[in-house]
Amino acid sequence: MIHYSIFNTEEEALLVSRELYRLSIDGEIDTTPTTQYLFSVIKHPKEDLWAMMSDSETDIPMIVNKNPDPVPLATMFKAKGLLGEAETQEISKKAVPNTTVRFGDIVPMAVKQAYKNHEQMERDGWFQVIE
Amino acid sequence: MPQFFYYSASISSGLLLDDFSDLSAIFSLRLLLTAYTGYCIRVRRSSDNAELDIGFVNGVLDTATLLTFCGAGNGYVTIWYDQSGNGNNSVQATATRQPLIVDSGTLITNNSKPSLKFTSAVGSSLSTGLVQLVNASTGYFTYSGVASVNATNADMVLFNHDNLVQLCRQAGASATFYNLLVVSGTPTASVASDTNLNILSSLTKSSDLKLYLHKNASVTGVSGNTFSTLPAGTSYFRIGHYSNNFYLDGYVSEFVMIAAENETARTAIRDNQIAYYGVA
């Protein structure tokens, strides 16, 4: 099932999506990949709100590369007050190099609790009609 | 001695699009223009997220290199290169939204030809940057695409040239239709949809400024709507969605866009596509 996480700025949403993807790539294989983000980021048609569209915790496991750097992601979540030290440690343990991890295992509980589903997003005016 | 023509008498011995001008975008898994010497697609493999440009061999996608690169995993298209020479490449930088070309080591095909698989549940789609695919002054265009949709009743967009023209599949009360829309939002032309691989083409007719939508060799879907003008600006061209919604669930094999009204080209391209893709 698709979930949406709401952000107040495009930069925040893109940072999360980009850092999640960076955990999964090996810079020694391809230093200039076309792919930059793991999940899609969309803008509300009328408000300054951004949403990252992610799969649920049943998502396909992501590869964790051999030198993952979760610091930028954790720093942003901490700055927003969404991630405490205990949870940071817990999440870091799951980002083990050369293994796989599910998205739902490495995002803060506070983010997961704020997920919106497609029907809620439609009610909130995120999608226009075909015209 | 009798003369034999391949597909159409109007086409020379070169590739399909060699004789036509005003080509604004060409997306295909076969080579359609002799002058084009670039790659066909760029692919990300699921095993380690490495990416590789894949070209052509004997005028078709180099499937041997593609399958070797992907191994037993999946292959996702990150760039569908534009063969027109305009550099209007169609790109998807978000991993979860990239259309599939290799599924667990097996090439995706539709009617036995390579095809890109779009999945609405994950929002797969491709997009150019800001491009000028319709005529810059008149808004006229001609296109022909090869695609199919899966059997759901959901509305879905096949091709969207933002704020200019859009081809979508929309569900009606008792049937589903391919609808051609322009910026005004009024369905301009409709033809019944199905789940077959179809040739869907359209062109403007400048004499009365109407838009036409055709499915395969029929002329079903001739518009009853007329326009005093057509929109003619630059915008994004998207394959597989509109406004981050109405994602395509189906397959796209080819799309050719001409920035002019050209019925000769449309019928020649359509006839070639019908023969090559085995469309009934």
Side-chain angles (χ1 to χ4, degrees), chain A residues 1-4 52-56 115-119 121, chain B residues 120-123:
Chain A
M1 179 178 288
I2 302 295
H3 291 289
Y4 298 84
M52 188 180 74
M53 190 172 82
S54 60
D55 285 352
S56 68
Y115 280 160
K116 289 190 174 186
N117 62 29
H118 193 85
E119 288 69 30
M121 295 288 281
Chain B
S120 59
V122 298

Side-chain angles (χ1 to χ4, degrees), chain A residues 4 6 44-47 49 114-127:
Chain A
Y4 298 84
I6 312 300
H44 193 287
K46 294 179 180 174
E47 300 176 41
L49 289 174
Y115 280 160
K116 289 190 174 186
N117 62 29
H118 193 85
E119 288 69 30
Q120 291 171 309
M121 295 288 281
E122 279 193 321
R123 283 199 299 272
D124 292 345
W126 279 84
F127 307 116

Side-chain angles (χ1 to χ4, degrees), chain B residues 116-167:
Chain B
L116 271 57
K117 181 180 180 182
F118 291 74
T119 304
S120 59
V122 298
S124 35
S125 60
L126 294 164
S127 178
T128 67
L130 287 172
V131 293
Q132 181 78 56
L133 300 191
V134 301
N135 185 277
S137 59
T138 63
Y140 295 167
F141 63 86
T142 303
Y143 73 70
S144 192
V146 183
S148 66
V149 295
N150 292 332
T152 73
N153 286 324
D155 295 345
M156 56 184 78
V157 168
L158 285 81
F159 311 112
N160 167 261
H161 199 6
D162 201 15
N163 294 322
L164 297 175
V165 62
Q166 174 170 279
L167 177 68

Side-chain angles (χ1 to χ4, degrees), chain B residues 9-237:
Chain B
S10 63
I11 299 174
S12 70
S13 58
L15 295 175
L16 171 62
L17 300 179
D18 286 353
D19 292 340
F20 301 119
S21 58
D22 301 310
L23 295 161
S24 51
I26 305 169
F27 302 109
S28 181
L29 298 172
R30 56 178 176 151
L31 187 61
L32 292 177
L33 195 65
T34 302
Y36 181 71
T37 57
Y39 293 106
C40 179
I41 52 175
R42 185 172 172 88
V43 172
R44 176 181 64 85
R45 64 184 176 193
S46 60
S47 59
D48 61 2
N49 286 333
E51 297 182 13
L52 183 70
D53 284 317
I54 307 291
F56 301 94
V57 170
N58 296 324
V60 295
L61 178 68
D62 181 359
T63 54
T65 299
L66 173 64
L67 293 173
T68 298
F69 175 67
C70 293
N74 293 345
Y76 298 92
V77 174
T78 67
I79 304 176
W80 200 352
Y81 288 103
D82 170 25
Q83 298 179 31
S84 73
N86 298 314
N88 294 330
N89 302 327
S90 200
V91 178
Q92 180 52 266
T94 300
T96 52
R97 294 182 63 179
Q98 290 161 349
L100 197 64
I101 184 70
V102 175
D103 185 2
S104 300
T106 301
L107 181 70
I108 300 283
T109 61
N110 203 350
N111 278 16
S112 302
K113 302 294 184 187
S115 191
L116 271 57
K117 181 180 180 182
F118 291 74
T119 304
S120 59
V122 298
S124 35
S125 60
L126 294 164
S127 178
T128 67
L130 287 172
V131 293
Q132 181 78 56
L133 300 191
V134 301
N135 185 277
S137 59
T138 63
Y140 295 167
F141 63 86
T142 303
Y143 73 70
S144 192
V146 183
S148 66
V149 295
N150 292 332
T152 73
N153 286 324
D155 295 345
M156 56 184 78
V157 168
L158 285 81
F159 311 112
N160 167 261
H161 199 6
D162 201 15
N163 294 322
L164 297 175
V165 62
Q166 174 170 279
L167 177 68
C168 56
R169 200 285 296 273
Q170 288 180 279
S174 59
T176 57
F177 297 89
Y178 291 116
N179 284 337
L180 184 71
L181 312 176
V182 292
V183 68
S184 65
T186 305
T188 299
S190 294
V191 59
S193 75
D194 55 43
T195 57
N196 298 328
L197 185 64
N198 287 312
I199 312 300
L200 295 157
S201 60
S202 182
L203 84 160
T204 53
K205 186 169 175 57
S206 60
S207 59
D208 53 4
L209 201 54
K210 286 184 179 178
L211 301 182
Y212 292 78
L213 173 62
H214 306 257
K215 187 173 83 171
N216 304 335
S218 79
V219 293
T220 306
V222 172
S223 169
N225 293 330
T226 58
F227 300 85
S228 56
T229 59
L230 287 175
T234 59
S235 71
Y236 297 95
F237 177 75

Side-chain angles (χ1 to χ4, degrees), chain A residues 11-119:
Chain A
E11 290 71 24
E12 285 179 350
L14 290 177
L15 183 147
V16 173
S17 187
R18 183 175 63 244
E19 293 302 327
L20 286 170
Y21 186 70
R22 268 183 10 97
L23 291 176
S24 71
I25 58 171
D26 184 346
E28 294 179 10
I29 294 176
D30 187 346
T31 55
T32 57
T34 303
T35 311
Q36 299 291 321
Y37 307 102
L38 181 63
F39 295 125
S40 179
V41 170
I42 61 175
K43 186 185 183 306
H44 193 287
K46 294 179 180 174
E47 300 176 41
D48 279 336
L49 289 174
W50 299 82
M52 188 180 74
M53 190 172 82
S54 60
D55 285 352
S56 68
E57 291 160 48
T58 58
D59 183 28
I60 298 169
M62 302 184 304
I63 303 159
V64 179
N65 75 30
K66 58 189 174 186
N67 188 27
D69 178 13
V71 172
L73 198 59
T75 301
M76 196 281 283
F77 282 134
K78 281 181 178 176
K80 288 177 64 70
L82 296 171
L83 189 62
E85 192 57 40
E87 195 178 10
T88 302
Q89 296 298 322
E90 188 180 331
I91 287 173
S92 297
K93 289 177 185 173
K94 293 176 179 172
V96 178
N98 297 316
T99 62
T100 58
V101 67
R102 295 178 190 280
F103 169 65
D105 292 336
I106 58 169
V107 295
M109 185 60 68
V111 172
K112 284 193 280 186
Q113 287 172 342
Y115 280 160
K116 289 190 174 186
N117 62 29
H118 193 85
E119 288 69 30

